Amino acid sequence: MTLTHPAYEQLRQVTPSAAVVLADNPSGMTLEGTNTWLLRAPGSAEYVLVDPGPKDRKHTEAVVAATGGNIALVLITHEHFDHTGGIDRLVKETGAPVRAASAEFLRGSGTELVDGEVIEAAGVRITVLATPGHTQDSLSFLVDGPDGERLLLTGDTVLGSGTTVLESRDDALADYLSSMHRLLEVAPGRTLLPAHGPEHADAEPVIRYYISHREERLNQVRAALEKLGPKAKALQIVALVYADVDKRLWPAATSSVKAQLAYIRSHG
């Protein structure tokens, strides 16, 4: 039987060179859970793993079982605990080196990932793209496999459903919009493999939607400022703009609104 999303703690083959093990950690923020992506060309003996997932013994054991422990390299998309919490147990079980943008998550012989770097492993070619906005250390990965296979792993920068939360720092939205336009340039013909939610056969329309949605939210925040006054607080704007969103998600929305306010006040 062919598995479909979501399939918890089971190896689900998505493309010839990409499979996923979905962590059983669903929530309003993680959607159905965190995707741990396993990359290897057909016939390769080793895997490249992207995001070990949360600190959850069952998930780590499922990943180790799926790979036989043959992990050449672990890559981290960004710092959040639902992606990095499982690092140490995975390293203990497999000895795999871990690479990330932040030195905090390096293990073994792993070194910091650099924008534009190309990695050849497990029969695939991986190009590192810095895509800040969700977090300052967020990375995406272009993956080129055999027979013209073209993939785009986006971490939490682009999800399989819903939208992405932005950091509340002043430059987060400017960074995010720049990241989205960078992804749009490389998206045509690539399969979208997000860190949460289902995959999409064509990344381009998803990324175009994300850009359109963010512009729509910006206009809604501008309208809220006109109604509430230029000194309105982020939470006041959330109550107006995100009135249709579950209030349990308002803290995350507040972070995004703070980023949008900073952007409006510096860019208009």
Side-chain angles (χ1 to χ4, degrees):
M1 181 180 69
T2 301
L3 295 175
T4 57
H5 174 82
Y8 289 112
E9 310 303 3
Q10 299 179 74
L11 181 67
R12 182 170 66 88
Q13 198 71 38
V14 176
T15 76
S17 298
V20 66
V21 178
L22 174 61
D24 190 5
N25 64 330
S27 73
M29 293 298 294
T30 62
L31 305 180
E32 294 90 351
T34 302
N35 292 324
T36 292
W37 287 102
L38 304 174
L39 307 174
R40 72 165 180 173
S44 173
E46 296 182 312
Y47 291 83
V48 173
L49 182 150
V50 179
D51 287 346
K55 187 176 182 179
D56 181 323
R57 179 188 293 271
K58 183 178 178 182
H59 182 64
T60 302
E61 289 177 350
V63 169
V64 172
T67 60
N70 297 319
I71 300 171
L73 179 63
V74 176
L75 303 177
I76 304 298
T77 61
H78 67 291
E79 64 190 22
H80 286 156
F81 191 69
D82 59 308
H83 300 258
T84 60
I87 286 176
D88 288 331
R89 180 169 292 280
L90 183 69
V91 170
K92 182 179 179 181
E93 294 287 337
T94 67
V98 181
R99 302 192 62 193
S102 172
E104 176 185 355
F105 304 111
L106 305 182
R107 300 291 187 275
S109 60
T111 55
E112 290 180 33
L113 291 166
V114 178
D115 182 42
E117 177 182 358
V118 176
I119 300 165
E120 302 267 3
V124 297
R125 176 185 173 94
I126 302 168
T127 305
V128 179
L129 296 181
T131 49
H134 173 66
T135 63
Q136 208 154 11
D137 69 338
S138 286
L139 300 174
S140 297
F141 302 110
L142 298 178
V143 180
D144 294 292
D147 300 322
E149 186 177 6
R150 305 173 76 227
L151 313 173
L152 176 57
L153 280 76
T154 51
D156 282 7
T157 300
V158 180
L159 306 179
S161 61
T163 56
T164 295
V165 174
L166 304 179
E167 284 184 301
S168 58
R169 62 184 175 85
D170 286 356
D171 294 331
L173 181 54
D175 283 349
Y176 187 74
L177 291 173
S178 177
S179 295
M180 294 305 296
H181 285 285
R182 187 179 191 193
L183 288 174
L184 186 61
E185 290 179 2
V186 299
R190 291 189 180 273
T191 299
L192 177 71
L193 306 181
H196 301 283
E199 65 277 0
H200 291 264
D202 187 353
E204 183 177 3
V206 181
I207 292 169
R208 288 192 183 279
Y209 164 76
Y210 261 65
I211 294 171
S212 173
H213 173 79
R214 188 54 60 193
E215 291 172 346
E216 179 183 350
R217 283 296 194 206
L218 264 175
N219 287 333
Q220 289 173 334
V221 172
R222 291 187 180 104
L225 286 172
E226 290 182 8
K227 182 175 182 177
L228 299 172
K231 295 184 179 180
K233 302 294 185 182
L235 189 57
Q236 292 176 281
I237 293 171
V238 168
L240 188 62
V241 173
Y242 292 80
D244 58 338
V245 174
D246 187 332
K247 287 187 177 181
R248 289 174 293 182
L249 300 179
W250 278 17
T254 300
S255 178
S256 290
V257 166
K258 286 179 178 178
Q260 290 173 91
L261 284 172
Y263 181 88
I264 290 168
R265 287 163 180 161
S266 61
H267 292 79

